[in-house]
Amino acid sequence: QLLEQSPQFLSIQEGENLTVYCNSSSVFSSLQWYRQEPGEGPVLLIALYKAGELTSNGRLTAQFGITRKDSFLNISASIPSDVGIYFCAGQPNAGGTSYGKLTFGQGTILTVHP
Amino acid sequence: AAGVIQSPRHLIKEKRETATLKCYPIPRHDTVYWYQQGPGQDPQFLISFYEKMQSDKGSIPDRFSAQQFSDYHSELNMSSLELGDSALYFCASSLKRLGDSPLHFGNGTRLTVT
C-alpha cells in the first residue's frame, strides 16, 4: 500500500490558505493527518473514518474520499507556527492484526513567511 | 491530557552495543506500536502489541526484539547495533478495542550509533 502525498514542499505567506493532497490505489479503513516538527513525534491533527467524511479542527479541514483512497487537508489563514512536516497516514482494516500498521505519505514540508 | 512517554530522549551507542528503549502508553490504551524514522524519511512500522501479545510485525531486523509488560509499558531491545540503526524511534498507542482509534505518538528516542 502506497500513499502519494503532494506537494512535497509548500512555501506560503502568512494569512494564505493551503491544501495538501493524499492519493492511493489502495483502500484504507481510516486516514489520519499528522504534523511533525523536527526531532519531535507526529501530532494527530484529524482522523477520518467514514467515506466522504468532512471534519474540521479549528483552521484545519480534512475530507476522506468517497472511495476511501484519497484525502485532502486544508489549512486556512496560515500562521508562522503552522510550519512543520504534514503527513497523511492510512490505516488498514479496523480490528485486523495490521490495524496500527500505518502507511505514511512522504510528507509535505510547510514554510510560512511572516 | 496524558501522552505517550518515551525514554530516553537521546541515546548514543557504539557499533555492536545494545540499546533498550522504553515506552509508556496513554493510560487505558491497550495497543502499542513501534516505528522507526530515518533522516528525511516517513515513519516505518516495526512491531505492535495488543494486550501484551505481539499482533503484527513490519520490517524489524532480527537483531531487534520487543515486548509489552503487564503494566502495558513496552521496551524495544536492539542488539549488535549498526551505523544504519541511527534514527528516531517512536512509540505510539491506541485503544484498539473500541475499533476505529487513531494512533498517538510519543516524542521519540533519537538513537545515534557511532
Side-chain angles (χ1 to χ4, degrees):
Chain A
Q1 293 181 313
L2 289 175
L3 265 175
E4 296 290 331
Q5 189 173 336
S6 63
Q8 192 175 355
F9 300 95
L10 204 46
S11 180
I12 60 174
Q13 293 293 130
E14 182 178 2
E16 290 183 340
N17 302 333
L18 65 115
T19 303
V20 182
Y21 300 91
C22 258
N23 292 281
S24 176
S25 57
S26 302
V27 173
F28 292 101
S29 170
S30 66
L31 196 130
Q32 296 156 32
W33 286 95
Y34 291 90
R35 172 174 167 265
Q36 185 178 28
E37 295 185 70
E40 303 293 323
V43 176
L44 179 69
L45 301 174
I46 290 179
L48 302 163
Y49 299 105
K50 298 176 183 175
E53 178 181 356
L54 181 69
T55 297
S56 292
N57 178 9
R59 294 180 294 106
L60 279 60
T61 301
Q63 185 164 31
F64 201 6
I66 290 291
T67 62
R68 292 179 172 271
K69 294 180 180 180
D70 59 280
S71 176
F72 71 78
L73 172 71
N74 179 272
I75 302 176
S76 62
S78 59
I79 57 179
S81 60
D82 288 334
V83 300
I85 304 175
Y86 289 79
F87 288 102
C88 59
Q91 200 156 16
N93 293 334
T97 56
S98 297
Y99 180 69
K101 198 171 180 178
L102 294 179
T103 296
F104 280 82
Q106 306 97 314
T108 295
I109 299 174
L110 174 65
T111 306
V112 180
H113 301 282
Chain B
V4 177
I5 306 294
Q6 290 187 247
S7 66
R9 284 299 310 272
H10 302 274
L11 192 57
I12 300 175
K13 292 284 186 178
E14 294 187 354
K15 281 196 308 183
R16 292 181 288 278
E17 284 192 321
T18 298
T20 297
L21 280 54
K22 296 186 178 182
C23 168
Y24 297 85
I26 291 173
R28 293 185 296 282
H29 277 195
D30 53 19
T31 310
V32 166
Y33 315 83
W34 285 97
Y35 280 78
Q36 178 191 57
Q37 186 177 30
Q41 305 292 315
D42 56 279
Q44 296 293 315
F45 173 79
L46 292 178
I47 195 167
S48 62
F49 292 86
Y50 171 62
E51 286 291 347
K52 294 156 279 185
M53 299 287 288
Q54 181 183 308
S55 62
D56 200 4
K57 234 176 159 181
S59 47
I60 182 170
D62 291 340
R63 301 176 289 106
F64 293 7
S65 65
Q67 57 183 323
Q68 188 178 26
F69 295 86
S70 57
D71 64 352
Y72 290 90
H73 94 273
S74 178
E75 294 183 4
L76 178 66
N77 298 293
M78 310 159 71
S79 62
S80 303
L81 287 169
E82 302 174 357
L83 295 178
D85 295 329
S86 295
L88 271 168
Y89 289 84
F90 292 108
C91 173
S93 72
S94 73
L95 190 52
K96 183 179 176 181
R97 72 170 71 94
L98 288 184
D100 289 328
S101 175
L103 272 63
H104 296 268
F105 286 81
N107 274 332
T109 294
R110 179 177 294 281
L111 173 66
T112 303
V113 181
T114 62

